[in-house]
Amino acid sequence: MDFAMHDAEFTLYHEIGHLLVGEFGLPVLGKEEDAADALAVILMLTDEANPDESANALIDSANGWYFDAVKSTGSGVDDFAYYDEHSLDIQRAYAEVCMMVGAEPETFGETADSFDIDPEQQEACQGTYDQASQSWDVVLADAYATDKPGKKITVSHENAAKGSEQFEAELKKRQVLEKAATLISSRFNLPRDLKFVGMQCDEPNAWYDPESGQITYCYALTSDRYDLFINDILPSMTVGGVAPPPSRTAGSKGG
Amino acid sequence: MTRILAALLGGILLCSSGHVLAQDYTDAQRGQAMDFAISSATQVLYHEIGHLFVAEFGLPVLGKNEDTADNIATLMLLEGGEDFADQVLYDAAQAWYLSPFNGDNPPDDATLIDEHSLDKQRAFSIVCLMVGNSPEYYAQIATDYGLDADRQQKCGDIYRQSSASWASVLEPNKLGDRELVGTITVTYEDPGDYTAEMEAMQADQFLDYAAQVVSENYLLPRDLQFKATQCGTANAFYSSGDSTLTFCYEFIRHLAELYLSNGMAEDDAGAGEDDEAE
């Protein structure tokens, strides 16, 4: 459940990246999906309220991408994946870890090592993180909150479907949506009132809708992450049960 | 800061000998291959100009730097109104598509860690912006690359976002009525065994023309250099520290060989209709 909640945090901050692009009309010259991933890392690493929690959440979400990749691309990459607006799951894992180790080499050096990112690349990642962090800072310069009270983000949870009640309850208990909403509304001068909504959905997903100004997070995604951990990650963990290092052998398991 | 462009091409280089060009093909086929090489290399040159813009103008890069440079290159070509642009885009997409991984083999870890997108992704990104720019005009290439209607529509959104973003970050850096500050010096260094590549680049005014486009339209904050040289590897890069854009002769040869080794040259090429690149 910790793993699923950590993934939910990363996912929310990723969607908040899309939200900031949409609400403030930010210039995106590469893939917006990668930009949103980068912002998620930056926001979580600069959330001084919960540094340890953020670090663990980032490690878990990178592992999530990694194990997704083992499942989805272990048996080959089709053209659809190449032209998707998202990078491949495995690229997202590496990019996330690169940002992490670039920002905090001490905290995340071990994680980067376990992803086989060599020392030279880890050092280059500092440039990657700095560029992303500075770029977001520049484009958000006018968006940072001033003394004026900004607009509000309303958080709500719709009822979960039978079998998913535990996920709705856990999200509420940990205030995952509420904490993200508070961070964003206090840090930025939002141009209008926005909504963060937890709901069941048919598929494991989360999205920002620029028209309604709403981020939707699906309990089906929590459930999906929960299953990934139980079925794929847990079995590969070492007996000691420390952080699951995605070893090379795991990479060849296939789907 | 050096931005390596062609790290992904290393695998291909292992089978390049240079002798392939000289012995196994007709003059006409080699001419075709060189045209393709210069044309597709133009996209690479614009990609490096993308890095130059990011570095010299301090443009914000919210996602991946390499994708940003690719998109700047494609947008400059799509929107620059140059006669050669379409051919460059078609050839560049093809070059990236044909590049390393064919078939169903997953790319290796080093390639996936690399800050560049995979070569095939880069091909699709070019095609996506093309069809996003004009679904009718580029309908055929979109179909050739298997972009379905749904995807093509998304490409429209991606194009509009990229184009608007590009316009907004570019605007303050346009020269307009202002006086020049920096200019660009072009040099073609000793080609060694790459005389044919150098001559093709010079005949095309490969570096010269791009340097002119950049220096006449943008307010460069300092003097810069565009340089063709031997690098020992098929690469191109912009180094902010040296204020130099370097294009390796080896890269031109690599692209020509890619063309030939994929059987793209026609058997009766050039018989009667020799179309020199301009």
Side-chain angles (χ1 to χ4, degrees):
Chain A
M1 188 58 91
D2 280 349
F3 176 83
M5 289 296 125
H6 285 159
D7 185 85
E9 287 170 29
F10 181 85
T11 302
L12 268 180
Y13 285 112
H14 169 95
E15 295 307 329
I16 284 168
H18 289 304
L19 179 149
L20 293 174
V21 168
E23 297 298 320
F24 295 108
L26 307 183
V28 178
L29 281 162
K31 288 183 177 172
E32 184 176 323
E33 295 299 336
D34 289 332
D37 279 351
L39 183 80
V41 177
I42 295 167
L43 284 176
M44 291 172 80
L45 287 181
T46 52
D47 177 12
E48 283 158 14
N50 307 292
D52 292 343
E53 169 74 7
S54 291
N56 289 331
L58 284 167
I59 291 170
D60 275 350
S61 75
N63 282 334
W65 292 124
Y66 183 84
F67 281 92
D68 275 345
V70 170
K71 282 173 67 174
S72 66
T73 57
S75 52
V77 182
D78 61 14
D79 271 4
F80 177 77
Y82 284 122
Y83 72 64
D84 192 76
E85 69 260 37
H86 296 84
S87 292
L88 304 176
D89 291 341
I90 187 71
Q91 289 174 309
R92 298 181 72 174
Y94 284 131
E96 187 181 340
V97 174
C98 180
M99 287 282 289
M100 288 154 61
V101 75
E104 298 181 14
E106 287 85 32
T107 315
F108 298 110
E110 207 173 307
T111 307
D113 291 343
S114 75
F115 274 80
D116 274 2
I117 300 178
D118 66 40
E120 197 184 329
Q121 286 168 319
Q122 290 186 30
E123 208 175 308
C125 288
Q126 294 182 24
T128 304
Y129 180 83
D130 288 345
Q131 181 176 43
S133 163
Q134 285 161 15
S135 294
W136 277 98
D137 244 8
V138 166
V139 299
L140 287 169
D142 297 334
Y144 285 120
T146 54
D147 294 342
K148 285 183 298 184
K151 302 288 181 178
K152 298 274 180 292
I153 300 176
T154 313
V155 176
S156 60
H157 295 80
E158 295 185 1
N159 289 335
K162 215 168 169 49
S164 288
E165 295 94 339
Q166 54 168 332
F167 302 121
E168 182 198 341
E170 195 70 21
L171 286 164
K172 281 181 174 168
K173 188 180 125 199
R174 301 199 191 200
Q175 300 208 302
V176 174
L177 274 66
E178 289 84 352
K179 281 181 184 166
T182 303
L183 179 73
I184 297 314
S185 56
S186 65
R187 207 184 271 195
F188 300 105
N189 227 340
L190 300 170
R192 57 173 172 162
D193 288 336
L194 303 168
K195 283 179 287 189
F196 288 5
V197 181
M199 63 169 78
Q200 185 61 41
C201 316
D202 294 333
E203 54 172 9
N205 207 352
W207 66 90
Y208 159 70
D209 175 11
E211 278 175 31
S212 60
Q214 174 172 321
I215 287 178
T216 305
Y217 175 84
C218 304
Y219 307 139
L221 180 56
T222 328
S223 166
D224 179 80
R225 300 289 86 183
Y226 185 86
D227 291 345
L228 179 78
F229 187 80
I230 299 287
N231 298 328
D232 297 279
I233 299 183
L234 205 52
S236 79
M237 284 171 76
T238 52
V239 183
V242 205
S247 68
R248 292 301 99 185
T249 45
S252 59
K253 252 191 333 190
Chain B
M1 191 182 301
T2 303
R3 294 287 163 189
I4 309 288
L5 175 79
L8 304 186
L9 302 174
I12 292 272
L13 278 179
L14 295 175
C15 54
S16 321
S17 66
H19 298 298
V20 178
L21 273 181
Q23 292 173 359
D24 299 346
Y25 298 95
T26 65
D27 284 354
Q29 286 174 324
R30 279 187 286 129
Q32 274 189 343
M34 194 62 91
D35 285 350
F36 174 82
I38 294 289
S39 175
S40 49
T42 301
Q43 184 263 352
V44 176
L45 177 61
Y46 277 67
H47 168 104
E48 297 308 330
I49 289 171
H51 284 309
L52 180 157
F53 283 154
V54 168
E56 299 298 324
F57 301 149
L59 305 185
V61 177
L62 303 184
K64 286 188 175 173
N65 199 25
E66 295 299 334
D67 288 338
T68 297
D70 270 353
N71 285 356
I72 290 176
T74 305
L75 290 168
M76 283 181 78
L77 289 160
L78 275 175
E79 299 176 350
E82 304 280 8
D83 292 341
F84 58 77
D86 268 350
Q87 194 61 46
V88 167
L89 290 168
Y90 283 110
D91 290 342
Q94 182 131 37
W96 288 122
Y97 190 84
L98 291 173
S99 195
F101 338 100
N102 295 309
D104 298 324
N105 295 328
D108 62 18
D109 288 336
T111 312
L112 290 163
I113 296 174
D114 193 89
E115 57 192 348
H116 298 82
S117 288
L118 304 175
D119 292 353
K120 264 193 185 173
Q121 290 173 314
R122 301 179 70 175
F124 282 118
S125 292
I126 292 173
V127 175
C128 185
L129 288 178
M130 290 167 80
V131 72
N133 168 270
S134 176
E136 293 83 28
Y137 186 68
Y138 294 115
Q140 187 59 48
I141 188 172
T143 308
D144 291 346
Y145 279 78
L147 301 192
D148 59 25
D150 184 40
R151 185 64 205 157
Q152 289 188 33
Q153 198 170 353
K154 272 189 190 161
C155 289
D157 295 337
I158 291 170
Y159 170 76
R160 282 184 287 279
Q161 180 183 40
S162 304
S163 179
S165 298
W166 173 228
S168 76
V169 298
L170 192 64
E171 199 51 44
N173 300 294
K174 284 202 171 150
L175 184 59
D177 299 331
R178 294 181 287 184
E179 220 164 290
L180 280 180
V181 178
T183 58
I184 300 175
T185 312
V186 173
T187 48
Y188 293 89
E189 296 189 342
D190 175 17
D193 291 336
Y194 296 88
T195 310
E197 283 77 9
M198 183 187 76
E199 286 174 354
M201 290 169 90
Q202 287 176 329
D204 181 74
Q205 299 216 307
F206 184 77
L207 296 178
D208 319 64
Y209 186 74
Q212 191 186 333
V213 168
V214 170
S215 60
E216 286 182 357
N217 290 292
Y218 303 97
L219 185 66
L220 298 174
R222 56 178 179 156
D223 289 338
L224 306 173
Q225 297 171 66
F226 283 11
K227 183 174 75 178
T229 191
Q230 299 178 76
C231 309
T233 175
N235 209 341
F237 46 92
Y238 179 70
S239 163
S240 177
D242 302 334
S243 57
T244 300
L245 188 159
T246 302
F247 208 103
C248 309
Y249 294 126
E250 290 89 340
F251 206 152
I252 302 290
R253 180 169 296 178
H254 156 72
L255 290 165
E257 290 180 1
L258 186 71
Y259 184 87
L260 293 171
S261 64
N262 278 281
M264 292 162 70
E266 294 159 28
D267 291 340
D268 56 351
E273 39 163 358
D274 195 6
D275 51 346
E276 282 294 311
E278 288 176 25

